[in-house]
Amino acid sequence: MLSLVIMGCALSACSDDDEPSVLETVTPDAASYQLNKAGEATLQFTVSPADASVDNVTLAAGADVFEITGKNSVGNGKWAVSLKAIDLAKVGETNAVSLQVAQTGGAWKEISFSIDDPYSIEGKFALDHPRAFNYYGIEEGHTYDTGLPVVITAEKGGDLTTISNIKIINGETSQKAGMEYFATVKLADGLTGVEIKVNPEKLEDLKNLVPTYTTFNFIAVLTSNNGRVAKLPLNGMTCAPEGTPVVDNQLTVTEAEIINPDFSKAVTLDVTSKLRHIGVMGMQPGDGNVVIYNIGLFNEAGEKVQQESFLVLVGPDATGNMISDFTIMGDNDYRLKPGTYTYVQRFHVDFIYDNGVKYQTVCADLKYQIEIK
């Protein structure tokens, strides 16, 4: 009998009663947690039974943004896991994270959390910029005067003073002329943003690449002074300052007509697409300050010709399209000869901001082909 009792005690001593229980459930203590300024957060969960061991905790989702820096038991089945952002630039306003809680060689459970970042700058800023610009100016001596001002504006409580860096990068879609052809210059005092201008070393390459116009797809990357990042799409058009001329049969007259002082012909032309192709997107409020200069008439050799036969006025119609009222008048003084001529109008577009600073986006020529037969 004694030996049986001793054996019973021995068997009891060798049983699994003192080993941790098998993990049955894992429950988050809260659905969401907040990051601190350094990008750290502590997540808590409760296991059942309370004495179940937690041997390993890994990130099942969110490992591209966060890393686990520690875990510890805080008693009564509660555990705390410390996370830290790998790169604050990857942290969003709201981030989904899943933890896999496991016992060595045994049971495992997965739980999900939402990690909110109160320091996020997502949705707090917007871009204000013209829709198009000339990558160089047509006027001699003013080649590098044109550019695209990109102004950052605050939205939903955003604080412009927290922006420490602005970088313009290529978007995801392919494009003819990426940011490798351009440089950025900080905007004048009173404005937060940059101006995109051609890199002088790349100008000739860009002329060959974009002889008329092309769209661009950039991204403005804003970085705050606490390392958070917002990415804003920046789309528009970059244009050469001279496109294809306006060609219309209505701009054809005979020699007899052009030297007849009683002759007059009024022509109405929709030049909307031609102007947009050289960067003039409109002549309505919000389209910038548009100034037009009538440069004059040129012959086939490119020489300026004295004349008083052409009067050209361009303005918007009721729908916003840009219309050219082109008047051709007979003149017996200069007596233009038969041939092909080009009439040139120069367009300047400036954007003037509240601080009085002016940025020129367009310095380009609109040309009309005139035939005298």
Side-chain angles (χ1 to χ4, degrees):
M1 179 69 70
L2 181 59
S3 63
L4 288 173
V5 172
I6 293 173
M7 185 175 290
C9 291
L11 287 170
S12 176
C14 295
S15 72
D16 293 335
D17 290 347
D18 293 332
E19 291 186 7
S21 300
V22 174
L23 183 66
E24 293 180 2
T25 63
V26 180
T27 306
D29 288 0
S32 64
Y33 290 86
Q34 285 194 342
L35 292 176
N36 61 20
K37 188 177 287 189
E40 302 165 326
T42 299
L43 313 182
Q44 291 189 319
F45 58 85
T46 300
V47 300
S48 176
D51 63 343
S53 67
V54 174
D55 301 315
N56 193 29
V57 179
T58 56
L59 280 163
D64 56 330
V65 180
F66 299 100
E67 61 182 349
I68 294 175
T69 58
K71 72 173 177 69
N72 63 288
S73 171
V74 293
N76 198 29
K78 293 185 176 296
W79 289 78
V81 174
S82 300
L83 297 184
K84 184 174 183 178
I86 299 170
D87 181 355
L88 287 171
K90 296 180 178 180
V91 177
E93 187 174 14
T94 300
N95 307 270
V97 166
S98 294
L99 298 180
Q100 189 180 91
V101 180
Q103 293 178 318
T104 302
W108 62 271
K109 304 293 181 183
E110 189 172 305
I111 50 175
S112 297
F113 301 87
S114 176
I115 300 180
D116 300 326
D117 184 9
Y119 301 95
S120 171
I121 61 173
E122 285 186 356
K124 294 188 176 180
F125 300 99
L127 302 182
D128 179 18
H129 62 89
R131 292 178 287 166
F133 73 105
N134 292 146
Y135 60 83
Y136 73 99
I138 195 69
E139 281 183 1
E140 187 176 352
H142 298 275
T143 303
Y144 302 107
D145 286 1
T146 57
L148 183 76
V150 181
V151 179
I152 313 301
T153 61
E155 304 279 335
K156 299 179 182 177
D159 184 354
L160 292 172
T161 63
T162 64
I163 297 177
S164 60
N165 187 58
I166 302 167
K167 185 177 182 181
I168 310 296
I169 63 173
N170 289 330
E172 294 182 359
T173 24
S174 61
Q175 52 197 321
K176 269 189 177 181
M179 274 304 297
E180 60 271 19
Y181 292 94
F182 299 96
T184 56
V185 181
K186 185 180 177 182
L187 293 182
D189 290 346
L191 295 172
T192 301
V194 296
E195 183 182 18
I196 299 175
K197 300 177 76 73
V198 68
N199 179 345
E201 296 179 356
K202 297 286 188 177
L203 178 56
E204 293 307 315
D205 291 339
L206 196 52
K207 285 181 180 180
N208 293 328
L209 189 65
V210 185
T212 53
Y213 66 95
T214 187
T215 57
F216 61 80
N217 166 40
F218 298 150
I219 295 173
V221 182
L222 314 183
T223 303
S224 70
N225 52 21
N226 57 33
R228 271 54 171 189
V229 166
K231 295 182 178 181
L232 304 176
L234 173 58
N235 302 310
M237 197 161 69
T238 183
C239 313
E242 53 183 334
T244 57
V246 177
V247 178
D248 193 289
N249 288 333
Q250 298 179 90
L251 297 179
T252 298
V253 294
T254 66
E255 182 182 13
E257 289 172 330
I258 205 67
I259 65 173
N260 179 2
D262 296 325
F263 173 76
S264 180
K265 180 181 183 181
V267 177
T268 300
L269 303 168
D270 188 332
V271 293
T272 304
S273 63
K274 293 292 186 182
L275 284 173
R276 287 178 177 171
H277 291 170
I278 60 171
V280 184
M281 303 307 288
M283 301 179 73
Q284 303 280 11
D287 292 322
N289 182 45
V290 181
V291 179
I292 306 170
Y293 302 91
N294 288 298
I295 303 301
L297 188 70
F298 296 82
N299 61 23
E300 292 176 81
E303 301 164 331
K304 193 169 184 180
V305 177
Q306 292 284 347
Q307 58 84 30
E308 290 184 358
S309 291
F310 305 103
L311 176 64
V312 189
L313 298 174
V314 176
D317 67 6
T319 66
N321 286 339
M322 292 173 280
I323 304 300
S324 175
D325 291 321
F326 201 112
T327 303
I328 306 173
M329 298 167 289
D331 175 61
N332 196 31
D333 291 332
Y334 292 104
R335 302 182 69 87
L336 294 174
K337 301 297 183 183
T340 300
Y341 294 83
T342 301
Y343 189 86
V344 179
Q345 285 187 305
R346 182 157 296 163
F347 286 74
H348 284 186
V349 180
D350 299 313
F351 281 78
I352 304 172
Y353 294 90
D354 292 340
N355 62 353
V357 176
K358 178 174 70 175
Y359 286 96
Q360 187 174 81
T361 59
V362 172
C363 175
D365 286 349
L366 176 65
K367 297 180 178 180
Y368 302 82
Q369 182 175 301
I370 298 169
E371 298 286 347
I372 299 177
K373 296 185 177 295

